[in-house]
Amino acid sequence: MASLCPCSSGLLYESCCQPLHKGAPAPYPERLMRSRYSAFVLKLSDYLLRSWHASTRPAQLDLSDSPDWKSLQVMQASEQGDAGFVHFRAIYKTADGWGFLEEESDFVREQQHWFYVSGKTREGTLKPGRNDPCPCGSGRKSKVCCQ
């Protein structure tokens, strides 16, 4: 059964991030960042390491303590030559409530492939009201969705 892509693009996973997870190059930095977010959701550590630039890539990546990622918001994305930038906010849920990770990420293109280099991050908590939209991105009110 086909399912929507975790990256919040509104597209089916098989036509959005899955081709990148299977080795297709990302055409621009935002697509790489979305595919990396989906890889965090799906716990695809091999893909995350493969799409991380060798100059900043960790030796290994353990996703066992990764939060329950719920939605992604891209605030800004750009590229200039072989350098790229993406500012995004990823929403997650924990036992204690809602949180977010916001990052301004740098990317580089080498041999027709984009790679994540590094990012400046900040985290915070979200406190949605009962009648606010649910942070998961469903469009439903918080009181009837993920509460």
Side-chain angles (χ1 to χ4, degrees), residues 107-119:
F107 297 83
V108 66
R109 181 172 41 200
E110 292 180 354
Q111 300 176 358
Q112 306 306 315
H113 287 269
W114 285 100
F115 294 94
Y116 169 77
V117 178
S118 64

Side-chain angles (χ1 to χ4, degrees), residues 6 19 29 43 68-70 84 88 120 122 136:
K43 300 194 184 316
D68 185 12
W69 299 104
K70 293 295 188 178
F88 69 90
K120 295 178 192 130
R122 72 180 185 92
C136 76

Side-chain angles (χ1 to χ4, degrees), residues 26-66:
Y28 45 89
E30 182 182 338
R31 281 293 307 275
L32 179 63
M33 188 280 308
R34 286 183 175 278
S35 72
R36 287 177 56 80
Y37 170 83
S38 291
F40 274 103
V41 171
L42 300 171
K43 300 194 184 316
L44 303 175
S45 57
D46 288 346
Y47 175 77
L48 290 165
L49 291 170
R50 225 176 26 252
S51 61
W52 208 316
H53 193 266
S55 67
T56 56
R57 175 181 358 175
Q60 57 187 342
L61 186 61
D62 180 7
L63 299 177
S64 61
D65 290 336
S66 190

Side-chain angles (χ1 to χ4, degrees), residues 122-134:
R122 72 180 185 92
E123 288 195 62
T125 59
L126 298 174
K127 304 229 184 253
R130 289 176 42 79
N131 290 316
D132 291 339
C134 186

Side-chain angles (χ1 to χ4, degrees), residues 68-88:
D68 185 12
W69 299 104
K70 293 295 188 178
S71 65
L72 176 68
Q73 304 162 337
V74 176
M75 290 129 136
Q76 182 183 5
S78 63
E79 68 179 274
Q80 189 169 26
D82 290 331
F85 172 83
V86 180
H87 179 193
F88 69 90

